[in-house]
Structure formats: C-alpha cells, structure tokens
Amino acid sequence: MESHSLIEVDPHNHINLVAGLNYNPYNYADVAHLLDSCGLSTRTNVGGFLYKTSDWTYTIHENWLNWKNGLAGNSFPSYTWTPTTLWGAGTPGHVDDYNGFGVWRPAGTSTLTFGQINSSNLLNIGNCCEKWSIEDTTNITGLVSRITNYINYCYAAPTTTATYYAASATMNFRGFLATAIVDSVSKFIRSMNNFKLAGKLTWELMSETRANWLALHPNPNDFFVVRCKSIALGVNEEDVAEKGFSLYPNPAHEFLNIYNPNGLSKIHLYDYTGKMIKCVNLELETNRIDISDLHSGIYFIGTGYKFVKVIKQ
C-alpha cells in the first residue's frame, strides 16, 4: 500500500476479549502497528472512540485520558502508540455521541466534563452535527440543505479570536465499490465545493486542522467548543405563533415584548453556544423583558416546545 497526500489512515478499533464470533484482541495501538506493517505512514489521530467511562469494558485500553502518555498494544505489547488528536467522541450504537463544532482539550469522561477544558489533555477536533452520514440511499439534497443551515448559523454567530468551526461528514469505505455510494459521495463533495469556491469552507486533513489550530493558538488553554444539541435551526416562527406565543420587536435593542396568551409559566434565553443566560417567569399575557445588558448577537428563546431566534442589536 502507498500513502497519499490527500488521505490519512488512522487507527480505529473496539477491543473485545470475550471468546466467540466477536472476539477481537486488537486495541488502537495494535491497529497502528498493523498499519505500519502495511507500509502506511500512520498518523496520530484517533479514528473514533468511546468518550464516557460508563461505556468502557476494558479501561486499560479505552481510557483516552491516558493515551497522551502512550498506549501499549494488547496483541503487540512491545509496541506503543501515542496519539495527539482525538476525533469522533461516540457511544455504543451512536445513541449519545458528543456531536459538536470546534477544537478543544476535553477535561473528562462524562457528557458534562467532555465539554469542559483541561489544557494538559489531548486536542479534540469536533466531528459535526446530526451524524452527517453518506450512504447510497442518502438524500444528498436534503443533507446539503441541513448543512447549509449550520454554515449560515456559523457565519451569523458572534466571533472571537478563538472561533473555529471544524466539522466532518462520514461514509462507510466498505461500500466504495458500489456505484450508488460513489455517486452520493461525489454529489455531496461537488455541493460542498460550492462553499469552498465562495470562501466559506476549507477542505483539510485532520492533521492539517490540528496544525492550523496550533499555529493560531499556541496557548494550550485556548479552546472553542459548541455542542450541536445547543443549536436551534430551521425554526418556523409562524408555528410558534399558531400556539399563541409571539415576541416583538425582533431585532430588538433594549426590550423584548413577549405575548403569551396560552399561559406559559416561564421561558429560557440561551446564547449561541447553548448556554442558558436567563430564566424569565411569565406572569402576564404580555411581558416586557429587559435585554439591554446583552451583547449584540444571536440568541434563542426556549418555550418548552420550540426555539425562537432573537437578534439583539
């Protein structure tokens, strides 16, 4: 096999030491060693991993907090693999993956602490939202439309010197011999390339993303993370109005009026990262909320059944 400048081949495996059909004695270090033996220049990127302690069966092999010090192989114990970059924080069955944008150094092995920061840990690259997966049956037009909403969100959100939206889409390489898969992937790449030509997207290998981030942020305490579950997109505000809830003016400067004929008891105001910044009790049919203390930008009001985008001028 030969290396390719536009392709990185990274270790990925889930060890299983239970005898039977699913027996698998190889951990990430073993796979890295096998890739070496194939003549590939293996990278130091983690190709997906179980990020929560509660999902580990073999802690010595799955505790990514220790990988920065090197992971010894299980089948090849004399071989040690030391990754530099985490990617694809997942759970069994992908039921609670940590989908998010950004580049940061996760602090711990729970849903809460993974989104927090520890400057001594490995760098993590956000893998995106909604498990953007491309199959032969994928509606590429619909997928591109959803991703377009996120791209528009990223460019509309307030920025800082740390703003860095990293994302990815996945596909199963086993299907690459199928014409339908190749057609879907090709259509997706052509559609995304329109954003590249418009200067809104850059194609990068994972190692390139890491290098570019570190060039801009040599301080290990720098970070940027936005979990996708905190982003409300595609809200049909007319649907909200049908339920009797509305707000005005929007955009607003100092005050926001909430019309609440159906008697909601309270609403929550979130910033663009999903952090709740206000909980407001609604005592009247029409309520006036002071937002003069907020910075200009995009916010979201959660009503319990919908999110409504608010622009603070």
Side-chain angles (χ1 to χ4, degrees), residues 47-82:
F49 63 105
L50 299 176
Y51 76 97
K52 293 196 294 186
T53 307
S54 57
D55 294 324
W56 298 343
T57 302
Y58 308 100
T59 300
I60 191 172
H61 302 289
E62 296 175 307
N63 185 354
W64 55 268
L65 287 173
N66 293 332
W67 291 355
K68 61 188 177 185
N69 302 316
L71 173 67
N74 179 62
S75 297
F76 305 101
S78 62
Y79 180 87
T80 299
W81 175 67
T82 306

Side-chain angles (χ1 to χ4, degrees), residues 31-203:
V31 176
H33 182 55
L34 292 172
L35 290 173
D36 285 342
S37 69
C38 292
L40 290 169
S41 299
T42 57
R43 309 291 177 170
T44 54
N45 305 316
V46 175
F49 63 105
L50 299 176
Y51 76 97
K52 293 196 294 186
T53 307
S54 57
D55 294 324
W56 298 343
T57 302
Y58 308 100
T59 300
I60 191 172
H61 302 289
E62 296 175 307
N63 185 354
W64 55 268
L65 287 173
N66 293 332
W67 291 355
K68 61 188 177 185
N69 302 316
L71 173 67
N74 179 62
S75 297
F76 305 101
S78 62
Y79 180 87
T80 299
W81 175 67
T82 306
T84 62
T85 311
L86 301 171
W87 175 87
T91 56
H94 298 287
V95 296
D96 189 26
D97 293 0
Y98 200 95
N99 294 331
F101 292 110
V103 181
W104 73 100
R105 297 177 187 272
T109 59
S110 68
T111 301
L112 175 62
T113 58
F114 192 80
Q116 298 173 349
I117 312 302
N118 184 325
S119 61
S120 67
N121 285 340
L122 293 174
L123 204 68
N124 181 78
I125 295 177
N127 53 296
C128 76
C129 302
E130 298 183 31
K131 197 176 186 295
W132 294 338
S133 180
I134 303 171
E135 308 290 345
D136 55 344
T137 57
T138 300
N139 180 341
I140 298 299
T141 300
L143 176 61
V144 170
S145 177
R146 296 200 305 275
I147 295 176
T148 299
N149 286 338
Y150 281 102
I151 291 175
N152 291 337
Y153 163 84
C154 295
Y155 275 92
T159 60
T160 69
T161 56
T163 300
Y164 204 100
Y165 287 98
S168 59
T170 62
M171 58 210 73
N172 194 330
F173 74 92
R174 297 184 185 91
F176 267 31
L177 294 179
T179 301
I181 285 283
V182 174
D183 288 345
S184 292
V185 173
S186 298
K187 183 177 180 180
F188 174 78
I189 291 175
R190 286 195 297 270
S191 298
M192 288 294 98
N193 209 45
N194 290 330
F195 289 103
K196 180 181 184 299
L197 295 175
K200 290 190 172 183
L201 177 150
T202 300
W203 297 105

